[in-house]
Amino acid sequence: MKTGIIGLPQVGKTSLFKILTKTHVAEHGGGREAHIGVCKVPDDRLDRLAALYNPKKLVHASVEFADVAAIGQEALKETAYATSLRQVDGLAHVLRAFEDPAIPHVGAIDPLRDARNVEFDLMVSDLGQIEKRLERLEKDLKKMRNPELEREHDLILRSKAQLEKERPLRELELTPEDRKRLRGFLFLSQKPVLYVLNIGESAELGRDLEQAVEKYQLAELAARPGAAATVICGKVEAELAEMADDEAAEFLSSYGLKESGLVRLIRKTYELMGLISFFTVGEDECRAWTVPTHSRAVEAAGAIHSDLEKHFIRAEVIPWDALLSAGSEANARSQGTLRLEGKDYIVKDGEVVHIRHSA
Ligand SMILES: Nc1nc2c(ncn2[C@@H]2O[C@H](COP(=O)(O)OP(=O)(O)OP(=O)(O)O)[C@@H](O)[C@H]2O)c(=O)[nH]1
Ligand SMILES: [Mg+2]
């Protein structure tokens, strides 16, 4: 799963990328190649399980982020740029809300306008692809009747109408079959989007973070299908990233904050992409795994190892907090909170899963 960090020039994309992935990269100066980095997913539940097991190895889940060069009509016309952007599964759209006269911005600070403008550019790019495909389809349909091509033709026309209404494709209602038909196009406006408001530093940051979505009128946009919003203060996050844990906790509370904005951002990314975490625990290793929501137990087993999927017998399942309060799997088993489930069981976020297998 890869999230592309997009946005207008100089809004704080690379800064966000650096603090998420803790990598040091040069700031973009015209080059269009994306930086890729891995972000460890902070998870308090896993940390608490690890405190119980004291494992040799503790492995958090990870998500990939790509720092994409600033977006615009011109950039999107470059095939290499558009192609690399199409490869991501979701978008983190950084919107500038911080004031800083030293850093240029197109016009006044107006995140809603910027969000709409960038969205428009994504739709124009998709429309270009659609027109190309339509031309091809209409040629082929003239040569011969083909029910599958006809269905695609209808769908492409529907998509075109949607874009012409200036509505992104993620808001189009699709059957699973139609979703499959569109998959190969990797349309930009179909990707789920997390709007990331990057606000300025202030003494009342806690309150400002809470009120920013309303203040900048992003609530309506964020409530649409496939969209969400979160707020960070890039400047403060950058300082936090340099600190040790206890120092960071003190720094956060001095701003009236409980957690880093990155934790919220990553959690929202998970929700938006339809992902959950489950855990495996033991004295050797405690580990978080990422699977799509509604994954079956046998698919969760497959995320760990294909052999576990092939030789799956049963899954022992318990919510992370039930395991913590039982104190051990043996206690949980005797209390009956540890359940045995079959391969079609739908794994829930935060469950500890032990796969019984014959491999
Ligand atoms: N005041 C302030 N400055 C910031 C903040 N976030 C980023 N900046 C500054 O804004 C400038 C641009 O930040 P980048 O993270 O490089 O922005 P970008 O979106 O990657 O820029 P391009 O890749 O050139 O489009 C840098 O000088 C940053 O230090 C912020 O929250 N507050
Ligand atoms: Mg950059």
Side-chain angles (χ1 to χ4, degrees):
M1 286 293 162
K2 198 189 315 171
T3 302
I5 301 176
I6 64 162
L8 291 173
Q10 300 279 291
V11 294
K13 299 179 296 298
T14 302
S15 307
L16 175 64
F17 175 79
K18 284 197 233 171
I19 48 186
L20 278 169
T21 60
K22 314 241 186 314
T23 46
H24 296 273
V25 292
E27 279 169 19
H28 267 296
R32 294 232 181 277
E33 72 295 348
H35 300 120
I36 311 287
V38 173
C39 163
K40 184 181 104 171
V41 177
D43 198 326
D44 178 51
R45 302 166 301 180
L46 178 65
D47 296 338
R48 289 171 64 184
L49 287 168
L52 181 64
Y53 284 88
N54 200 14
K56 294 191 197 96
K57 227 168 119 197
L58 172 61
V59 187
H60 286 79
S62 59
V63 276
E64 252 187 329
F65 283 92
D67 177 26
V68 186
I71 216 156
Q73 296 268 3
E74 287 312 308
L76 284 167
K77 277 183 201 142
E78 288 172 30
T79 317
Y81 178 84
T83 308
S84 81
L85 191 52
R86 287 203 186 99
Q87 302 308 319
V88 304
D89 304 292
L91 305 170
H93 184 170
V94 182
L95 297 166
R96 173 162 166 181
F98 67 86
E99 302 275 352
D100 188 338
I103 298 161
H105 190 61
V106 277
I109 296 300
D110 184 350
L112 182 59
R113 174 205 59 204
D114 294 350
R116 288 193 177 130
N117 285 346
V118 168
E119 191 86 348
F120 184 78
D121 292 346
L122 299 180
M123 292 191 278
V124 169
S125 168
D126 287 348
L127 204 51
Q129 265 193 296
I130 283 195
E131 272 156 7
K132 260 191 258 162
R133 181 64 191 152
L134 261 186
E135 222 173 277
R136 178 87 245 167
L137 274 171
E138 280 164 7
K139 250 188 222 157
D140 289 350
L141 280 170
K142 262 187 209 142
K143 275 186 255 162
M144 55 163 176
R145 277 189 51 97
N146 173 326
E148 175 49 34
L149 284 189
E150 275 163 23
R151 275 192 288 270
E152 186 187 337
H153 187 241
D154 287 348
L155 175 62
I156 293 289
L157 284 179
R158 242 178 90 209
S159 306
K160 182 164 181 261
Q162 171 85 352
L163 292 170
E164 283 167 348
K165 280 188 294 188
E166 294 188 20
R167 287 295 197 172
L169 294 175
R170 74 178 78 86
E171 293 175 20
L172 196 64
E173 265 185 62
L174 296 170
T175 62
E177 294 75 39
D178 281 349
R179 205 165 279 282
K180 233 180 247 168
R181 285 188 186 100
L182 286 191
R183 195 176 291 155
F185 294 99
L186 303 169
F187 288 127
L188 298 175
S189 77
Q190 199 186 0
K191 298 184 190 299
V193 60
L194 177 64
Y195 298 104
V196 182
L197 268 173
N198 188 10
I199 69 169
E201 206 176 355
S202 78
E204 302 236 36
L205 192 57
R207 190 203 57 194
D208 289 355
L209 287 168
E210 236 165 72
Q211 296 178 350
V213 170
E214 289 298 330
K215 176 175 172 193
Y216 294 105
Q217 297 165 311
L218 274 169
E220 193 268 331
L221 215 54
R224 293 192 186 173
T230 193
V231 190
I232 59 159
C233 174
K235 213 157 201 167
V236 165
E237 295 294 340
E239 288 173 48
L240 270 172
E242 304 288 320
M243 293 179 192
D245 286 353
D246 49 344
E247 197 187 349
E250 200 169 303
F251 184 73
L252 278 171
S253 72
S254 76
Y255 276 107
L257 302 173
K258 279 196 283 301
E259 59 180 3
S260 147
L262 296 186
V263 176
R264 278 195 315 271
L265 189 153
I266 296 166
R267 202 183 301 137
K268 290 245 177 180
T269 306
Y270 257 66
E271 273 169 36
L272 190 66
M273 307 267 255
L275 300 174
I276 60 158
S277 297
F278 72 90
F279 308 116
T280 50
V281 296
E283 273 145 28
D284 282 335
E285 181 183 89
C286 287
R287 182 164 181 163
W289 304 86
T290 305
V291 289
T293 321
H294 305 303
S295 290
R296 296 150 62 220
V298 66
E299 290 161 340
I304 302 172
H305 199 287
S306 55
D307 281 349
L308 297 191
E309 182 168 4
K310 235 185 287 169
H311 304 285
F312 181 96
I313 300 175
R314 279 184 177 271
E316 290 181 314
V317 180
I318 181 169
W320 70 277
D321 44 353
L323 177 56
L324 268 191
S325 53
S328 73
E329 280 157 283
N331 288 349
R333 199 172 288 117
S334 63
Q335 290 164 6
T337 46
L338 191 88
R339 307 182 315 267
L340 269 183
E341 301 284 359
K343 64 176 194 291
D344 291 330
Y345 173 74
I346 303 294
V347 176
K348 315 283 181 312
D349 187 47
E351 282 179 334
V352 177
V353 176
H354 181 82
I355 308 292
R356 286 197 194 164
H357 58 90
S358 60

